[in-house]
Amino acid sequence: MRHEIKFTRLPKIGPTEIIAHMSDPRVAKHMPLLTLEWDEAAVTKFVAKKEECWSRDGLGHWAILINDKYVGWGGFQREGEEWDYGLVLKPNSFGLGTRISRKAIEFAVADERIPYVTWTPPETPTATRAVVIHWL
């Protein structure tokens, strides 16, 4: 099956889709800081925060589509002088992370503002780690 990956802006995704995604306990398992209850107000605040990054830095997190279907969100967010890469997929799309990340990193390599990215993979009960991807 062909997986056409597209990145679009988060406001294009309906709040109920994001609520269902972020309320799934399988997602929360990999995000220990995910403690709030997701409702329309939370989604509105979340999307506004992510859009602020676009206004401030000209780049931010995208909604990720596979074959025009929402599968999660992720992208690049400036943290001080560094660009942080994040990816939060719906559980039925967990296996697509490598493909999506490859496309996102290709985007970053082509963007002269981003000399490297930091990425913190999901925590597991036995490991917390961070990766710096540097291409210059």
Side-chain angles (χ1 to χ4, degrees):
M1 177 180 182
R2 191 168 159 264
H3 294 121
E4 182 186 4
I5 301 167
K6 291 182 185 174
F7 300 135
T8 191
R9 298 288 277 273
L10 279 163
K12 293 186 176 186
I13 305 303
T16 55
E17 186 103 36
I18 296 172
I19 291 168
H21 173 200
M22 298 305 290
S23 297
D24 191 307
R26 295 170 293 176
V27 172
K29 178 181 174 184
H30 299 287
M31 298 179 70
L33 299 177
L34 182 65
T35 57
L36 68 98
E37 184 175 324
W38 284 82
D39 57 17
E40 284 204 34
V43 170
T44 299
K45 186 175 177 180
F46 166 75
V47 170
K49 267 311 222 191
K50 297 305 180 189
E51 287 296 296
E52 281 177 23
C53 295
W54 283 94
S55 296
R56 182 186 67 230
D57 303 320
L59 188 59
H61 285 101
W62 300 291
I64 301 164
L65 309 176
I66 300 281
N67 300 333
D68 294 319
K69 183 178 177 194
Y70 173 76
V71 297
W73 60 271
F76 304 96
Q77 184 168 319
R78 194 171 181 99
E79 301 288 342
E81 293 301 311
E82 298 182 352
W83 286 94
D84 185 52
Y85 173 67
L87 182 63
V88 181
L89 296 175
K90 293 169 71 173
N92 61 350
S93 299
F94 282 171
L96 297 172
T98 299
R99 270 185 232 160
I100 293 166
S101 294
R102 187 174 293 125
K103 182 171 178 140
I105 295 300
E106 286 172 6
F107 173 92
V109 168
D111 190 314
E112 62 187 36
R113 297 172 294 179
I114 307 174
Y116 66 93
V117 297
T118 57
W119 172 61
T120 305
E123 290 186 23
T124 66
T126 59
T128 303
R129 60 213 176 273
V131 175
V132 176
I133 303 167
H134 201 302
W135 43 86
L136 291 180

